[in-house]
Amino acid sequence: LLAGPCPAAARGLIGALLVRDGEGRDANGQRRVARIVEVEAYLGIADRASHARFGPTDRNGVMFGPPGIAYVYLVYGMYDCLNVVAEPADRPAAILIRAVEPLAGAERMRAARLASAVRRRPTASPEAERERLAALPAAHLARGPGLVAAAFDIDRSLSGLDLCDPASPLRLEAPDPSRPSPRVVSSPRIGIDYAGAPWTGRRLRFFDPSSPAVSGRPWKR
DNA sequence: GCAAAGATTTGCT
DNA sequence: GCAAATCTTTGCC
């Protein structure tokens, strides 16, 4: 699937599982599992919204490699974002994981969100942040690309990891076959106004409209 | 070498 | 609804 055209691969990732093994920044060994509910496809050199538009660099190098590999980058100097590399090795493309819906390990995700917030704002009250996160529904713990990374302890050190290897601490797994496949709708991508036409208008964002974990304002979904 | 902008999130007005 | 926080990467001198 990931070796094929990126838009179809992105659509096909909706409903797949993102799995994180117990290892992480602290000793709590809870396994985290979540359903992918929102993604965006970023195409090759010609896509003015894609990091690949600069050609291969130190940052985006893995996009030019084989499919199924993690591409993690830092955005706005603050948040890590997880991508899955798509298409064959000579064609750069990646799928941004924008939101996932927790199925297991939600408390571990809450702890990771707290640790991430404390690292970002050392002067703020950890207790206030802990209470804020405790009040958050599980479906909102990873609603947004920066929050997916925070909830799963994903940072740039995981870039290059094989997400299709069952031995990887972070990996993709096929959805539960007994579960009905989700409805998938498309929209333009978010936060790429700089790309200009026609790229801003292309419907390369895919999501499950029934999921409460999808990011963005409800009326813009 | 330096200036500018960015695949975001949060808090305040 | 708008602006701040924060730092890497890119683009131009």
Side-chain angles (χ1 to χ4, degrees), chain A residues 136 142 162 203:
Chain A
L136 214 56
D162 185 355
R203 304 178 74 84

Side-chain angles (χ1 to χ4, degrees), chain A residues 28 30-32 102 104-113 133-134 136 138 141 151:
Chain A
N28 187 336
Q30 196 177 10
R31 199 167 93 116
R32 283 164 278 187
E107 290 318 304
R108 184 79 184 79
M109 296 180 201
R110 248 182 262 276
R113 284 283 308 271
L133 286 167
L136 214 56
L141 286 173

Side-chain angles (χ1 to χ4, degrees), chain A residues 7-128:
Chain A
R11 178 178 282 268
L13 270 191
I14 299 297
L17 303 182
L18 184 66
V19 178
R20 182 78 157 111
D21 278 335
E23 62 189 61
R25 282 192 170 82
D26 61 48
N28 187 336
Q30 196 177 10
R31 199 167 93 116
R32 283 164 278 187
V33 182
R35 225 168 60 87
I36 297 173
V37 297
E38 180 187 0
V39 299
E40 282 175 356
Y42 287 86
L43 312 183
I45 307 266
D47 182 353
R48 302 311 289 169
S50 172
H51 289 169
R53 68 188 184 278
F54 302 117
T57 66
D58 285 341
R59 174 171 72 159
N60 68 16
V62 298
M63 284 183 75
F64 292 76
I69 304 299
Y71 166 48
V72 185
Y73 68 91
L74 185 69
V75 72
Y76 293 110
M78 306 185 117
Y79 300 98
D80 290 288
C81 292
L82 171 67
N83 295 257
V84 183
V85 174
E87 303 203 357
D90 55 329
R91 271 196 300 175
I95 301 160
L96 173 68
I97 308 297
R98 283 196 61 91
V100 301
E101 188 175 312
L103 299 178
E107 290 318 304
R108 184 79 184 79
M109 296 180 201
R110 248 182 262 276
R113 284 283 308 271
L114 177 59
S116 164
V118 169
R119 276 194 304 275
R120 207 166 54 245
R121 300 181 46 204
T123 60
S125 156
E127 185 54 26

Side-chain angles (χ1 to χ4, degrees), chain A residues 7 10-11 14 37-40 182-188 203-211 214 220-221:
Chain A
R11 178 178 282 268
I14 299 297
V37 297
E38 180 187 0
V39 299
E40 282 175 356
R183 199 158 72 84
V184 179
V185 299
S186 66
S187 82
R203 304 178 74 84
L204 292 173
R205 172 174 176 248
F206 303 95
F207 58 96
D208 171 358
S210 72
S211 173
V214 173
K220 292 208 112 181
R221 290 183 184 179

Side-chain angles (χ1 to χ4, degrees), chain A residues 129-153:
Chain A
E129 183 64 15
R130 192 194 63 74
E131 286 181 21
R132 196 179 77 85
L133 286 167
L136 214 56
H140 291 183
L141 286 173
R143 191 173 64 163
L147 304 182
V148 171
F152 277 75
D153 285 310

